[in-house]
Amino acid sequence: MVPFAGWSLPLHYGQGHLQSHLHTRRHCSLFDVSHMLQTLVYGRDRIRFMESLVVGDIAELKPGQGTLTLLTNDKGGITDDLIVTNTSEDHLYVVSNAACADKDLAILRDRAAQLQATGSDVHLEVSDNALLALQGSPSMARVLQAGLSDDLAKLSFMNSISTTVFGVPGCRVTRCGYTGEDGVEISVPAARAVELAEQLLGVPNVWLAGLAARDSLRLEAGLCLYGNDIDETVTPAEAGLMWTLGKRRRVAMDFPGAAVIMAQVKEKPRRRPGAMALTGAGQAPFTSLYPHIPGTVTSGCPSPCLGKNIAMGYVEAAHSRAGTELTVEVRKKQHPAVITKMPFVPTQYYMAK
């Protein structure tokens, strides 16, 4: 168990990190991610409220559809990355990072108060639901379908339904996750979270997994970790996350930091995200790039699936092409590495036919 953002969380369970990671890729694992902040946004002006804070096109989301988006500040920096879902009910469902929960909630509440003062109809409710993530291809769909009356084959990646799961009503099932695999996140009433977890773990080949596997799985999938790979000093243009900006939003430039971000797009950012694979010996996390190519390593670990060291970071734009050779420092020793394409391991997100 380790401390994380005010919570005590499992790093790994009895089977260990390597076995847990590989089991998720080959079968199915259950992650307790109840530390994430879940917020419900109500009112007829909820979409205008959300779009005043994030870069995504929330208005274009169909009922039940969600999107990854970014909270930005006036300098264009990324305050947090979060998922916003336009539910089929009467609210938006927002999931934010635990490490950013306090500042995110303060921003949301301040903005809601500002709009309410001008007569807008918007109000927030912080959910006390637990959040369970069932991840793994192809086992997840088989395991979950046994406890659903809804047809999971009709639920595409980044879409959400409110349903009963293994006899527990009032659950929100969103087809998403942080592993690169086909998976779901289940928002479940806290009083029945243990019951649901035990139901899922009663299925053969469903294992519990902790933070260590979650981190190595997301890195293999090329997914950013807030506080490591992105933060308030990095803009969406620098982070390679311009795909999160809706076309309408780019034209309107009505989100925080829009002038800075769009100017960077025109001028081309000087630094770019880089995915790196170690080509020499060594299985320890990268610590830095060697000075002949200026840059910074932000995340790194041995890849259980690839059997070599991988990392994400930032390099000068001129050196960001796949195939560029560079040197990294691992435990005060220099090793050759190469810029490669992300994701390191192909993703298995499910798109309904």
Side-chain angles (χ1 to χ4, degrees):
M1 301 292 287
V2 295
F4 181 83
W7 298 74
S8 183
L9 297 180
L11 189 64
H12 58 79
Y13 293 85
Q15 65 271 18
H17 164 234
L18 176 63
Q19 291 81 3
S20 181
H21 177 112
L22 294 174
H23 186 85
T24 307
R25 291 270 185 251
R26 296 167 182 168
H27 299 287
C28 188
S29 295
L30 182 67
F31 300 77
D32 182 356
V33 291
S34 301
H35 55 296
M36 306 286 279
L37 173 66
Q38 301 175 70
T39 308
L40 311 180
V41 185
Y42 293 90
R44 66 175 180 272
D45 296 311
R46 60 187 180 273
I47 289 177
R48 181 165 68 89
F49 159 78
M50 206 70 228
E51 288 193 348
S52 72
L53 297 171
V54 303
V55 302
D57 192 337
I58 308 305
E60 76 169 1
L61 295 176
K62 298 175 182 176
Q65 185 180 17
T67 186
L68 176 72
T69 190
L70 307 172
L71 271 173
T72 49
N73 60 30
D74 290 339
K75 296 181 180 179
I78 300 172
T79 302
D80 196 10
D81 61 319
L82 39 80
I83 292 178
V84 177
T85 299
N86 179 24
T87 72
S88 298
E89 293 76 32
D90 60 347
H91 63 276
L92 301 176
Y93 170 58
V94 183
V95 179
S96 316
N97 285 302
C100 301
D102 289 343
K103 70 173 181 179
D104 286 3
L105 198 52
I107 290 170
L108 291 170
R109 284 173 169 165
D110 285 351
R111 184 59 179 148
Q114 290 171 10
L115 290 179
Q116 288 164 356
T118 62
S120 294
D121 178 25
V122 60
H123 63 277
L124 309 177
E125 179 184 315
V126 177
S127 172
D128 62 358
N129 276 11
L131 193 63
L132 302 176
L134 189 65
Q135 302 282 305
S137 311
S139 298
M140 182 284 296
R142 174 181 55 79
V143 169
L144 190 62
Q145 187 61 76
L148 286 182
S149 57
D150 301 86
D151 184 1
L152 201 56
K154 296 180 179 178
L155 189 68
S156 283
F157 179 61
M158 294 305 292
N159 280 262
S160 173
I161 54 172
S162 180
T163 187
T164 297
V165 184
F166 283 97
V168 180
C171 294
R172 176 160 298 282
V173 175
T174 306
R175 202 153 195 167
C176 67
Y178 200 45
T179 64
E181 296 297 318
D182 182 20
V184 294
E185 290 184 352
I186 307 169
S187 180
V188 52
R192 302 192 68 177
V194 172
E195 174 190 340
L196 179 56
E198 288 176 343
Q199 289 264 23
L200 293 168
L201 292 168
V203 179
N205 269 336
V206 178
W207 288 7
L208 280 166
L211 281 180
R214 194 164 182 252
D215 192 48
S216 54
L217 287 160
R218 70 91 190 168
L219 185 53
E220 285 186 345
L223 302 174
C224 293
L225 174 63
Y226 192 88
N228 281 43
D229 310 302
I230 52 176
D231 57 31
E232 295 192 14
T233 69
V234 180
T235 69
E238 293 172 322
L241 293 172
M242 287 301 294
W243 58 270
T244 63
L245 273 72
K247 292 181 180 178
R248 175 177 61 84
R249 306 303 307 282
R250 295 187 191 209
V251 174
M253 293 183 61
D254 55 354
F255 51 88
V260 175
I261 295 167
M262 297 313 296
Q264 282 189 342
V265 173
K266 284 185 179 180
E267 298 164 5
K268 306 294 183 185
R270 295 179 182 178
R271 60 175 176 170
R272 295 181 60 84
M276 294 156 257
L278 199 67
T279 56
Q283 283 292 299
F286 295 0
T287 54
S288 64
L289 300 184
Y290 200 58
H292 79 277
I293 294 182
T296 305
V297 171
T298 54
S299 290
C301 73
S303 164
C305 290
L306 301 179
K308 58 185 176 183
N309 219 337
I310 59 173
M312 293 169 60
Y314 292 91
V315 296
E316 288 186 343
H319 303 293
S320 63
R321 285 181 176 272
T324 300
E325 295 180 350
L326 64 160
T327 305
V328 297
E329 187 176 287
V330 181
R331 291 178 179 164
K332 298 184 179 180
K333 293 185 179 180
Q334 298 167 24
H335 295 278
V338 64
I339 298 290
T340 187
K341 293 182 178 180
M342 285 196 286
F344 296 98
V345 173
T347 55
Q348 302 293 329
Y349 303 132
Y350 175 79
M351 301 298 177
K353 295 179 180 177

